[in-house]
Amino acid sequence: MSPVTHFLTGWILANSASLSRRVRALVTLAGVVPDIDGLGIVAEYLTRNSRHPLEWFSAYHHSLHSLPFAVVVTAATFALATQRWKTASLPFLSFHIHLLEDLVGSRGPDRYQWPIPYLMPFSRACELTWHGQWMLNAWPNFAIAISLLLLTFLSCVEARAFSTGDGLA
Ligand SMILES: [Zn+2]
């Protein structure tokens, strides 16, 4: 799914519990950070017509969508946060919701499924795919993104009403 969908999912998860601003940011970030392995798309796009094209996106996208990287992200957020037990579980969950979203709705335009190498770099034995995976631009992704936007909007309205006292009437 798109980074925007991952961001909104992480943000909503982060706001589902009473967390400090810093922990909310870390939980949200954990829901987006697996896609840093897709930044090679910039180099790949810029060099696509050169004599030595860099295929960093094709080669490395999804290489950090793995359990070892989830553990690294969780350990880093644990070290940075104050509410440590919530911080130990929620970024791990946020990271894995990202993997689930990719698993169900990230089939490329060439119909390639981008398997999730869950145990990389230690093993290629567990590459996750789902035969029912829909395309990146399929309607369920739009429905999910719009639902997440509505939830975000409603939670902002609710938080504003509560902070101004309107929610207490
Ligand atoms: Zn991803």
Side-chain angles (χ1 to χ4, degrees):
M1 290 194 188
S2 79
V4 173
T5 303
H6 296 313
F7 176 85
L8 291 172
T9 305
W11 191 88
I12 287 169
L13 178 66
N15 284 276
S16 66
S18 69
L19 301 170
S20 69
R21 178 181 282 209
R22 176 191 283 208
V23 176
R24 275 184 288 155
L26 291 169
V27 172
T28 304
L29 185 63
V32 181
V33 77
D35 278 346
I36 61 170
D37 63 17
L39 292 178
I41 197 168
V42 176
E44 187 163 323
Y45 181 79
L46 292 175
T47 63
R48 69 192 186 285
N49 295 321
S50 72
R51 288 192 339 166
H52 302 288
L54 299 171
E55 297 185 335
W56 291 351
F57 181 75
S58 303
Y60 300 116
H61 187 42
H62 276 191
S63 60
L64 292 179
H65 288 60
S66 67
L67 177 62
F69 190 54
V71 171
V72 169
V73 169
T74 302
T77 54
F78 188 84
L80 291 171
T82 49
Q83 295 160 291
R84 293 215 150 135
W85 291 113
K86 284 179 181 172
T87 311
S89 59
L90 287 177
F92 191 77
L93 179 62
S94 187
F95 189 103
H96 279 80
I97 291 173
H98 178 122
L99 299 188
L100 180 65
E101 288 175 335
D102 280 357
L103 195 64
V104 299
S106 291
R107 190 184 292 256
D110 55 0
R111 306 197 61 78
Y112 183 59
Q113 281 202 282
W114 294 105
I116 292 174
Y118 193 60
L119 299 178
M120 279 289 282
F122 302 112
S123 169
R124 280 211 164 265
C126 183
E127 294 210 330
L128 305 175
T129 56
W130 177 49
H131 67 87
Q133 185 186 54
W134 57 77
M135 307 282 283
L136 259 176
N137 62 352
W139 70 264
N141 282 5
F142 289 104
I144 290 168
I146 289 168
S147 301
L148 291 169
L149 276 171
L150 282 173
L151 274 173
T152 303
F153 176 74
L154 289 174
S155 68
C156 288
V157 168
E158 184 182 341
R160 182 168 161 69
F162 189 76
S163 69
T164 59
D166 295 349
L168 302 175

